[in-house]
Amino acid sequence: MAKLVSSWSSGVKSIPKDYVMPPERRAGDYITVCKEIPVINLEDDRLEIVRQILKACQEFGVFQVINHGISDKMMEDMMALYDEFFNLPVEDKLGVYSEKPRKGCTLYTSGLEYAKEDLHYWKDTLKHPCHPLEEHSPSWPDKPARYKEEVARYVVEVRQMGFKILDMIGEGLGLREGYFNEVSQEHSMAINRYPPCPNPSLAMGIACHNDPNLITFLQQDHYGLQILKDGIWMGVEPIPNAFVVNLGYQFHVISNGKLKCVEHRGLLNSSVSRTSIVTFLGPNPELPTVVEPAKELVTSSNPQMFKSYRYNEFIANYLVLAYNRKSGSRNGYALDSYRL
Ligand code: OGA
Ligand code: NI
């Protein structure tokens, strides 16, 4: 528990040496905010939205949505809730804290497993499964007292928005309705907390990675999220109450390479705590769900790019690579062994 950055970092003047990244793992050069990352108004005409979403997924693998139907109040209440959660006294968070990776609700610090890391990330994370609610919400934090009720309402709404966006991507790709049902059964959340860091350019919040799932919806309060496009790191503008939507590895495979999955990372700042509330939809890693390029998208001019595989095997492989991956990055890394 003492390891949580949010519990010891307040007022420290410089970072401990096991948080100092070597130059190749630091932020380096980047474009602070890239105004070209598409911002899509979900109240526009449906056909127009479908066109914009598809274009964004082909060019960037990421876009933002506004007027998405989830109220400003709900989004602001969520941020306030997590501010309170991370500021709770240590005793109140012990029930969910773990230093070993585990499946259910877990509060942990840094990356996959603190004890096995050479260097640590300046981040604490609360993660938990979300669906079905009745099965998972009992394991969520007891404090703040309104946690379960408020988060349950958010889960329902984000899920609805998420499936609406999935439907539109399916429509843009020309896939039958419900195409993604089987590959979006797992709904989970991770809430990342990046306390202010006295040396933000030497440390890192979250290392560059591709999300292993199908699609991710991220709510953020302050700047810090960056994406890699054509070899250049670019910041994603923190638009109040927007969602950043990014595609994970499974979308790249299912679309037979037509849609991009985007490599991203999280930087730190020295003045404010940054929080991101992240919702993941993807195949259930407990089930042997098969993932493969959609037959409709395989043609003689666009031959099948990936073999079909079982998602649980992919995840096992992804984790081994993530543990071994100390530096550098390569888009499509975890997909290398599935390429045809
Ligand atoms: C993630 C992620 C980025 C952020 O949790 O997968 O990419 O800004 N987070 O917290
Ligand atoms: Ni991510």
Side-chain angles (χ1 to χ4, degrees), residues 12 21 28 60 92 106 116 179 182 199 208 215 228 330:
V12 300
M21 295 290 169
F60 288 87
D92 290 337
T106 311
K116 291 191 180 163
Y179 192 91
E182 232 200 304
N199 313 102
C208 53
I215 188 166
L228 187 66
R330 201 145 52 85

Side-chain angles (χ1 to χ4, degrees), residues 234-251:
M234 304 172 172
V236 179
E237 187 183 0
I239 301 173
N241 301 333
F243 279 95
V244 181
V245 184
N246 73 268
L247 303 186
Y249 276 130
Q250 308 317 310
F251 238 123

Side-chain angles (χ1 to χ4, degrees), residues 108 123 125 190-194 205-207 209-213 216 218-220 222-226 246 264-267 274-280 318:
Y108 65 99
K123 158 177 95 60
T125 299
I191 302 85
N192 301 306
R193 177 75 160 187
Y194 307 92
I206 188 168
H209 65 282
N210 283 291
D211 291 346
N213 55 311
T216 303
L218 177 145
Q219 176 188 348
Q220 58 177 337
H222 297 288
Y223 178 73
L225 177 65
Q226 296 193 332
N246 73 268
H264 54 285
R265 66 181 184 183
L267 303 195
R274 172 172 182 265
T275 303
S276 62
I277 305 172
V278 195
T279 296
F280 303 99
Y318 175 87

Side-chain angles (χ1 to χ4, degrees), residues 44-321:
D44 266 351
D45 168 64
R46 184 179 166 101
L47 280 182
E48 176 57 19
I49 304 172
V50 170
R51 190 192 65 77
Q52 287 181 22
I53 292 183
L54 207 74
K55 185 162 183 280
C57 292
Q58 284 172 321
E59 285 176 16
F60 288 87
V62 64
F63 56 94
Q64 303 209 56
V65 290
I66 54 170
N67 296 325
H68 41 60
I70 301 175
S71 72
D72 286 357
K73 171 146 190 347
M74 177 174 269
M75 297 191 72
E76 286 156 13
D77 285 351
M78 285 292 284
M79 278 294 172
L81 176 77
Y82 285 112
D83 223 38
E84 233 177 275
F85 174 80
F86 283 102
N87 286 326
L88 283 171
V90 159
E91 317 79 83
D92 290 337
K93 292 179 283 197
L94 270 179
V96 285
Y97 181 70
S98 173
E99 292 187 7
K100 286 264 170 222
R102 59 180 189 194
K103 289 190 186 111
C105 183
T106 311
L107 172 65
Y108 65 99
T109 192
S110 188
L112 294 173
E113 195 170 346
Y114 187 93
K116 291 191 180 163
E117 293 170 352
D118 56 342
L119 296 170
H120 308 302
Y121 294 94
W122 195 268
K123 158 177 95 60
D124 298 329
T125 299
L126 173 70
K127 63 148 200 173
H128 57 62
C130 297
H131 188 80
L133 276 172
E134 316 73 69
E135 184 181 331
H136 297 296
S137 66
S139 72
W140 298 353
D142 291 321
K143 288 190 182 171
R146 63 185 190 283
Y147 189 100
K148 292 183 175 114
E149 196 189 320
E150 214 167 280
V151 177
R153 276 191 270 126
Y154 181 82
V155 162
V156 170
E157 297 223 0
V158 176
R159 190 173 174 81
Q160 209 177 358
M161 174 193 74
F163 282 111
K164 197 169 126 191
I165 292 173
L166 275 180
D167 272 351
M168 291 194 280
I169 302 178
E171 190 177 320
L173 286 172
L175 298 174
R176 67 179 155 76
E177 222 185 299
Y179 192 91
F180 301 113
N181 287 351
E182 232 200 304
V183 287
S184 56
Q185 291 186 358
E186 170 95 349
H187 177 164
S188 63
M189 279 169 78
I191 302 85
N192 301 306
R193 177 75 160 187
Y194 307 92
C197 175
N199 313 102
S201 59
L202 303 183
M204 187 50 85
I206 188 168
C208 53
H209 65 282
N210 283 291
D211 291 346
N213 55 311
L214 182 68
I215 188 166
T216 303
F217 305 91
L218 177 145
Q219 176 188 348
Q220 58 177 337
D221 55 356
H222 297 288
Y223 178 73
L225 177 65
Q226 296 193 332
I227 62 149
L228 187 66
K229 180 166 191 290
D230 305 327
I232 298 171
W233 282 106
M234 304 172 172
V236 179
E237 187 183 0
I239 301 173
N241 301 333
F243 279 95
V244 181
V245 184
N246 73 268
L247 303 186
Y249 276 130
Q250 308 317 310
F251 238 123
H252 188 58
V253 171
I254 292 168
S255 68
N256 200 33
K258 193 166 172 185
L259 306 185
K260 282 191 180 161
C261 59
V262 69
E263 193 151 13
H264 54 285
R265 66 181 184 183
L267 303 195
L268 303 162
N269 76 76
S270 58
S271 54
V272 284
S273 279
R274 172 172 182 265
T275 303
S276 62
I277 305 172
V278 195
T279 296
F280 303 99
L281 291 179
N284 182 341
E286 306 286 301
L287 301 176
T289 310
V290 170
V291 177
E292 61 190 359
K295 303 267 183 299
E296 294 85 336
L297 303 176
V298 175
T299 58
S300 52
S301 59
N302 194 18
Q304 187 169 342
M305 271 179 77
F306 301 97
K307 307 179 210 178
S308 58
Y309 54 83
R310 289 182 189 279
Y311 185 68
N312 52 4
E313 287 165 18
F314 170 88
I315 284 293
N317 184 23
Y318 175 87
L319 290 175
V320 169
L321 292 171

